[in-house]
Amino acid sequence: MRSQVNLTKLLNWEKKFPSWFQQVILLSVIIVWLLLLPLPAWAVSPQVERPVLTLELLQERLHTPTNLEGNLTVDLRELAINLRPENAEFRDTFYQLLRKELQRAGSKPLGLDLSNSLIQGDLIGSDLGLRTPSYGQALAPIFTPTEQEQIERDRLPRKQARILSPTEITVFRGALRLVQTRFNGEVQFNNTFFLQPVEAQGAIFTQQSGWNETRFSEKVNFSGASFRQDARFQGSIFFAKADFNQTSFSDAYFQNSTFADTTNFLQTNFKQAANFNYVQWQGKTDFSSARFTDQALFAKASFQQFALFIETAFEQAVTFREAQFNQSVNLQGARILSQADFSDARFATAANVNVSALNFNSDKAKILGNTGKIGKVLTVPTLQGNENVLRNLVQNFRSLQQIPDANQLKYMSQRLRLEKLQLCLLDVDSTEISPTTWLLQAWDWLALTLLLLLSRCGTSVWLVFGVGMIAIAYFGCVFWLVDRFRRLHPRIIPTTYETVCMIASFSILSLLGLIAIFRTAEQPWLTLGCLVLFIFPIPATLLIRLYQLGRYHDLMDVSYFTEDGTLRQLRLLIGRLPVIPRYPLFRERYPPILWNRRWNWLNYYDFSLNNLLRLGFNDIRLRDEHLPGIITTLAWYQWGLGLLYITMLLWTLSRTIPGVNLLIYLK
């Protein structure tokens, strides 16, 4: 009976309150219950209780240095060191005693280990070393010959730079260990020369840290460190390897610094501006997987070796203005969300920028560079997986009216496509390709090869003009030979003057065409070989056959070529055919060209120009009667080549003329 009453009350409670209100009540009860439960041991962060460094403990540690990796070291690990102004007496004595021991003469310098310690107040590290003139005067006798040699490495550049102010540097002879050290105040090591390694893995700098004009003679390791305020390394020199892997920076200032060896900033997080202007990167530089939340400045920097920015994220503008690259730059998988500026950057002959798998949207971001130069250094190893990258880059440069760069990237994409087709055609073991598909791919390969060789796939007008110039000169010479050199008996041959003019003009035009080809084609000899295959075998065969058969027809003493006598002007002859119609009135309108004129040899070039470019000063055609079929075949053959050539020329012009190219979308 009681259970029925309780059930009735429960049902009435559920009806009284809506379901959402019941869920809120239940969730609140669960949260309160979880908060009241004790946390497990693994979830409780341990509160590290560090012993406080006293003068007695300091003196004890100074008198009994430890042997750490073969080096005598003052062991101040896992201590709380109070250097705040209210503890001024201890602070002054701390610097005095520590400086005295660290500057002690001896063959083995004394290092300092502050690992896992808590530094309260400012640490003026430059007060712990030995001050010595930066140049000019003799070094103190405390330095060993090896140490003097290390210091001289820095003094020589100062002399060469004519730095005449009597500045001093602080020499830190021993190794410095700051592993997992926490600095609650500022850290100052400005103008300090470290002769031994500096290890600061996992160190936490809560305030500003100064390392300006600092020299690191041996390896430096700041991996995992956290710079929560400004980190200033202006004008510093890293003579050995420098590691800043997984380091977290607020504002990072490295301008005018020099990295003489390998430098690593892998997975480093730059939360604010990162200034690397005027930096000398003499060794390999690796910023892979780094993240630049704010601006990244590399203006006028010098990269002597490879620079790696693999999968690096640039969320704001990155600047490489006037930078020098002697080796390749790898931006594979990098993300450019704002703007990358390579304006006035200088690239060595072997240097390029690998943009494979680059995350770049041309609608939101921009890549800037000098017109005609930036497109030549951007490269991808394969077409697969990079189609969108190349398409976005082409769109980027077209929107900036940098047509040569857009065309260069388009040419590169087609060249990679050709390589892909070659691999498919040579893969004879593949059973997935049918004979029909293979033939279609072979046709695509042939057509693309011709376009690349003869016009750089529509991206080089001068290459197309060079090819056309040689073709016009060659066919002009062929038609002159056919028309003017007919028989020795009875003599129907050209004059000496005309022969000299023809040979000289052919040589000049061919030379100009060759210059254009060798200056613009990537493989000029293959381009020249392709051109020869088109213009030489068939005309040569027809000429040989013509002279074998001989000519025994009427009108032997009249030219095969006629001209329109009604007009003499520059004409665009798009619909012109090479032979006049068989209609008597046309014979009156088209009289034969005059052999007895000194400028007659120009008519043959005019005819060749008409056939190939559909452009000429006179409308010159073949006559319609007493004309050997071989000569007609020659004219029609060039006319057919002219159709292909004028199409290729107009296509190339449309892609290279600013404004016109924007109307054409080519994927």
Side-chain angles (χ1 to χ4, degrees):
M1 221 25 218
R2 180 176 297 177
S3 61
Q4 292 179 355
V5 172
N6 293 336
L7 180 61
T8 303
K9 291 181 179 180
L10 180 61
L11 293 174
N12 292 334
W13 182 83
E14 292 178 350
K15 293 179 180 179
K16 185 176 181 179
F17 298 96
S19 60
W20 65 268
F21 185 80
Q22 299 174 24
Q23 294 176 359
V24 170
I25 296 295
L26 181 60
L27 183 61
S28 301
V29 172
I30 293 175
I31 292 175
V32 172
W33 180 68
L34 291 176
L35 291 175
L36 293 177
L37 284 177
L39 292 175
W42 56 267
V44 179
S45 58
Q47 299 295 327
V48 179
E49 293 291 339
R50 296 182 177 89
V52 178
L53 179 65
T54 62
L55 291 178
E56 293 77 10
L57 181 58
L58 175 61
Q59 290 177 346
E60 178 184 346
R61 297 290 178 91
L62 290 174
H63 293 156
T64 58
T66 61
N67 191 326
L68 183 63
E69 297 180 358
N71 298 317
L72 291 178
T73 306
V74 177
D75 185 3
L76 298 181
R77 294 176 294 176
E78 301 179 358
L79 296 172
I81 304 175
N82 188 355
L83 302 177
R84 290 177 289 196
E86 56 268 23
N87 199 21
E89 182 179 354
F90 171 82
R91 180 191 62 190
D92 296 340
T93 308
F94 170 83
Y95 282 113
Q96 180 182 358
L97 294 177
L98 193 57
R99 180 169 54 243
K100 179 181 178 182
E101 290 299 321
L102 294 178
Q103 295 179 4
R104 185 180 59 185
S107 58
K108 289 187 177 182
L110 193 63
L112 176 62
D113 191 351
L114 296 173
S115 299
N116 293 292
S117 290
L118 173 62
I119 311 299
Q120 300 169 326
D122 299 340
L123 176 64
I124 312 301
S126 55
D127 287 347
L128 299 176
L130 177 64
R131 295 188 179 277
T132 183
S134 60
Y135 71 95
Q137 302 178 19
L139 294 174
I142 187 176
F143 298 116
T144 65
T146 302
E147 292 174 336
Q148 293 183 18
E149 183 179 351
Q150 289 176 298
I151 298 174
E152 287 294 338
R153 286 194 300 177
D154 181 53
R155 300 180 78 182
L156 181 59
R158 287 176 177 267
K159 293 178 182 179
Q160 293 176 345
R162 298 182 180 180
I163 301 176
L164 301 179
S165 58
T167 58
E168 290 185 337
I169 59 173
T170 300
V171 180
F172 204 97
R173 300 181 62 206
L176 178 63
R177 288 177 54 86
L178 306 174
V179 179
Q180 301 291 337
T181 306
R182 181 184 179 90
F183 298 91
N184 285 346
E186 293 187 2
V187 177
Q188 299 294 337
F189 280 97
N190 294 324
N191 207 21
T192 302
F193 202 122
F194 290 97
L195 300 179
Q196 297 296 326
V198 175
E199 300 181 24
Q201 300 95 309
I204 300 175
F205 302 88
T206 60
Q207 301 297 322
Q208 184 183 96
S209 59
W211 309 81
N212 296 332
E213 299 290 335
T214 300
R215 307 298 189 255
F216 300 92
S217 184
E218 298 295 335
K219 185 175 69 172
V220 178
N221 196 336
F222 281 92
S223 297
S226 177
F227 293 89
R228 299 180 181 178
Q229 296 293 332
D230 295 356
R232 299 185 174 274
F233 289 85
Q234 294 102 314
S236 297
I237 298 180
F238 298 81
F239 290 102
K241 183 180 179 182
D243 285 323
F244 289 87
N245 300 329
Q246 299 180 343
T247 304
S248 177
F249 285 97
S250 181
D251 281 298
Y253 299 92
F254 285 86
Q255 59 264 39
N256 290 297
S257 294
T258 299
F259 294 87
D261 206 328
T262 301
T263 307
N264 295 319
F265 283 88
L266 281 80
Q267 300 180 4
T268 300
N269 188 8
F270 297 91
K271 298 180 180 179
Q272 297 187 36
N275 193 329
F276 293 95
N277 292 337
Y278 299 94
V279 172
Q280 301 289 321
W281 308 90
Q282 298 178 4
K284 189 182 75 171
T285 307
D286 197 345
F287 279 89
S288 297
S289 300
R291 180 183 179 185
F292 293 88
T293 306
D294 209 322
Q295 286 189 340
L297 306 176
F298 294 89
K300 296 187 178 181
S302 176
F303 296 86
Q304 303 295 327
Q305 299 296 326
F306 294 99
L308 305 180
F309 293 90
I310 301 174
E311 297 184 357
T312 303
F314 299 100
E315 299 182 7
Q316 297 297 327
V318 53
T319 300
F320 292 96
R321 293 181 66 91
E322 300 184 57
Q324 172 70 43
F325 298 97
N326 289 345
Q327 296 291 340
S328 296
V329 183
N330 196 333
L331 287 173
Q332 180 180 356
R335 289 189 299 148
I336 298 178
L337 304 182
S338 179
Q339 174 177 291
D341 190 354
F342 288 89
S343 299
D344 298 321
R346 300 180 301 277
F347 292 87
T349 304
N352 56 51
V353 181
N354 183 359
V355 292
S356 177
L358 179 68
N359 190 336
F360 167 73
N361 189 334
S362 59
D363 295 333
K364 300 178 180 178
K366 296 295 179 185
I367 293 182
L368 307 179
N370 290 25
T371 302
K373 294 183 179 180
I374 183 64
K376 294 180 179 179
V377 298
L378 299 180
T379 182
V380 295
T382 60
L383 183 62
Q384 185 175 1
N386 292 305
E387 295 90 344
N388 290 335
V389 175
L390 293 172
R391 187 180 297 111
N392 286 333
L393 289 173
V394 169
Q395 184 177 352
N396 169 79
F397 290 118
R398 288 193 182 279
S399 64
L400 296 173
Q401 287 293 295
Q402 296 185 211
I403 308 306
D405 300 308
N407 287 338
Q408 175 64 30
L409 291 169
K410 192 64 181 179
Y411 168 73
M412 179 177 62
S413 66
Q414 296 301 320
R415 183 166 49 82
L416 293 174
R417 179 169 168 258
L418 179 66
E419 294 177 0
K420 183 179 179 181
L421 286 173
Q422 288 175 341
L423 292 177
C424 293
L425 293 175
L426 295 176
D427 189 10
V428 294
D429 296 331
S430 177
T431 59
E432 300 177 358
I433 301 177
S434 63
T436 303
T437 303
W438 190 91
L439 289 175
L440 291 175
Q441 288 183 347
W443 172 255
D444 290 342
W445 173 85
L446 178 61
L448 186 56
T449 300
L450 295 177
L451 286 176
L452 288 172
L453 290 176
L454 299 178
S455 69
R456 290 177 61 91
C457 205
T459 63
S460 178
V461 175
W462 289 111
L463 178 58
V464 178
F465 279 151
V467 169
M469 199 172 297
I470 293 178
I472 290 170
Y474 173 76
F475 278 101
C477 190
V478 168
F479 290 127
W480 170 80
L481 187 66
V482 166
D483 192 44
R484 296 293 287 118
F485 196 91
R486 301 190 184 183
R487 289 181 180 174
L488 294 177
H489 305 287
R491 184 179 296 271
I492 304 177
I493 60 175
T495 64
T496 303
Y497 170 81
E498 190 174 349
T499 303
V500 172
C501 289
M502 202 67 199
I503 295 176
S505 60
F506 171 78
S507 301
I508 293 174
L509 290 175
S510 299
L511 179 61
L512 293 176
L514 289 173
I515 292 174
I517 289 175
F518 278 88
R519 287 179 63 89
T520 56
E522 184 174 351
Q523 298 173 304
W525 288 109
L526 285 180
T527 299
L528 200 59
C530 179
L531 176 60
V532 169
L533 286 178
F534 273 103
I535 68 174
F536 183 76
I538 293 180
T541 303
L542 292 174
L543 279 179
I544 293 173
R545 184 58 179 166
L546 178 65
Y547 283 102
Q548 282 179 344
L549 295 176
R551 279 171 279 186
Y552 307 97
H553 52 74
D554 294 336
L555 299 178
M556 277 294 294
D557 56 347
V558 178
S559 176
Y560 295 128
F561 297 92
T562 62
E563 62 176 338
D564 185 358
T566 60
L567 293 174
R568 187 177 295 276
Q569 62 185 21
L570 184 64
R571 304 181 185 184
L572 188 62
L573 306 168
I574 297 297
R576 165 198 170 279
L577 298 179
V579 182
I580 65 173
R582 293 180 58 83
Y583 188 64
L585 292 180
F586 272 89
R587 295 173 189 164
E588 298 177 1
R589 181 180 171 185
Y590 284 85
I593 62 174
L594 302 176
W595 279 354
N596 57 354
R597 297 293 189 269
R598 295 176 64 87
W599 42 260
N600 174 63
W601 55 276
L602 291 173
N603 288 318
Y604 303 101
Y605 287 124
D606 202 353
F607 179 76
S608 181
L609 192 67
N610 288 341
N611 269 356
L612 204 67
L613 278 179
R614 307 299 189 264
L615 184 70
F617 296 96
N618 297 307
D619 183 8
I620 298 180
R621 307 191 192 190
L622 290 175
R623 69 191 188 193
D624 66 318
E625 56 181 355
H626 303 296
L627 181 68
I630 291 179
I631 299 177
T632 306
T633 304
L634 274 173
W636 279 104
Y637 179 72
Q638 191 201 13
W639 188 88
L641 292 181
L643 282 180
L644 300 176
Y645 179 79
I646 195 65
T647 303
M648 183 175 66
L649 177 61
L650 293 176
W651 177 54
T652 305
L653 288 173
S654 68
R655 300 189 62 190
T656 53
I657 299 176
V660 177
N661 64 88
L662 295 178
L663 302 176
I664 300 175
Y665 178 76
L666 296 174
K667 61 182 181 177

